[in-house]
Amino acid sequence: GAGVSQSPSNKVTEKGKDVELRCDPISGHTALYWYRQSLGQGLEFLIYFQGNSAPDKSGLPSDRFSAERTGGSVSTLTIQRTQQEDSAVYLCASSLRHTNTEAFFGQGTRLTVV
Amino acid sequence: GNSVTQMEGPVTLSEEAFLTINCTYTATGYPSLFWYVQYPGEGLQLLLKATKADDKGSNKGFEATYRKETTSFHLEKGSVQVSDSAVYFCALSTAGTGNQFYFGTGTSLTVIP
């Protein structure tokens, strides 16, 4: 596609519910990243996929968070039993190769847990 | 390990003032360096980049020079405009396995008329 696409753009959910966030990277990009940005904060790394390699999950804050990438393309970030502290903007990015190339970001999904 | 340290904000400048946002890094190997900008309510977009020592990245009047000897990549602009108000992130990318993009904490810039 023309750019990284994320859906939904906004999500309001009740505490304790599960949510799924979707990322559609730029076609042909083998690397995909998820970051979290809390209000007024920097970028918190969550997870990184590169081709068929095992993902780097070192940034996932708890076992309530998981992500998968099907067919090396679309990725889904799942948050189970959401908590209020999960409220943030979740950003997805993709890059053409895993070495020294720029990452392209989506517009993000703003998650609000009430 | 790899990390980026960025000048803390917020920064408030008058229109036409000179801007410098400091960024230093620690990296193994030979990283590429980036500045990303996030305008209010929008996602991050690449502002400029440099892939090797002494390279100068430039875009929209902004410049940054990759200084290997001081491990720095400071962002500068000679005359800021109100439309430059945004959050600026310094980042590096390295070769290797695992997460390869490392971001600074961001610097918020407000330009007042």
Side-chain angles (χ1 to χ4, degrees):
Chain A
V4 178
S5 178
Q6 291 188 247
S7 61
S9 55
N10 280 284
K11 176 72 176 178
V12 179
T13 189
E14 292 181 351
K15 178 180 172 181
K17 294 285 179 70
D18 297 352
V19 295
E20 285 189 353
L21 312 180
R22 177 188 168 104
C23 173
D24 202 340
I26 294 173
S27 178
H29 280 194
T30 57
L32 187 147
Y33 308 79
W34 283 99
Y35 291 88
R36 178 167 70 175
Q37 187 176 31
S38 301
L39 186 62
Q41 301 298 309
L43 295 173
E44 177 187 4
F45 165 72
L46 297 177
I47 189 168
Y48 161 68
F49 296 91
Q50 168 53 32
N52 295 320
S53 301
D56 176 358
K57 303 180 182 179
S58 60
L60 294 178
S62 76
D63 58 7
R64 295 187 295 106
F65 288 73
S66 62
E68 63 177 20
R69 188 178 185 192
T70 54
S73 181
V74 172
S75 177
T76 302
L77 177 69
T78 301
I79 309 173
Q80 296 179 310
R81 306 180 302 281
T82 52
Q83 304 295 314
Q84 287 187 328
E85 61 263 29
D86 299 334
S87 297
V89 176
Y90 289 81
L91 294 169
C92 176
S94 69
S95 66
L96 186 61
R97 301 187 306 273
H98 65 86
T99 304
N100 291 355
T101 55
E102 67 202 72
F104 295 82
F105 281 82
Q107 293 293 92
T109 294
R110 181 175 298 279
L111 175 66
T112 304
V113 181
V114 298
Chain B
N2 300 307
S3 66
V4 176
T5 302
Q6 189 174 337
M7 171 177 149
E8 292 193 15
V11 174
T12 302
L13 294 174
S14 296
E15 204 164 23
E16 299 183 3
F18 184 85
L19 168 71
T20 300
I21 301 178
N22 289 338
C23 172
T24 57
Y25 67 90
T26 302
T28 54
Y30 302 95
S32 291
L33 302 174
F34 308 86
W35 277 101
Y36 281 83
V37 59
Q38 186 177 34
Y39 298 104
E42 299 186 11
L44 274 75
Q45 54 186 277
L46 181 69
L47 179 61
L48 53 84
K49 67 178 182 181
T51 57
K52 62 183 186 296
D54 300 324
D55 271 3
K56 177 185 285 187
S58 61
N59 186 26
K60 300 181 180 179
F62 290 88
E63 292 183 341
T65 301
Y66 188 144
R67 300 287 188 200
K68 193 168 186 295
E69 64 277 12
T70 55
T71 61
S72 65
F73 193 55
H74 305 322
L75 182 68
E76 296 182 336
K77 186 173 185 181
S79 176
V80 294
Q81 305 300 312
V82 172
S83 57
D84 294 327
S85 298
V87 180
Y88 293 82
F89 292 90
C90 185
L92 71 83
S93 172
T94 65
T97 59
N99 173 38
Q100 295 173 14
F101 269 92
Y102 301 84
F103 285 86
T105 52
T107 301
S108 174
L109 170 67
T110 300
V111 180
I112 55 177

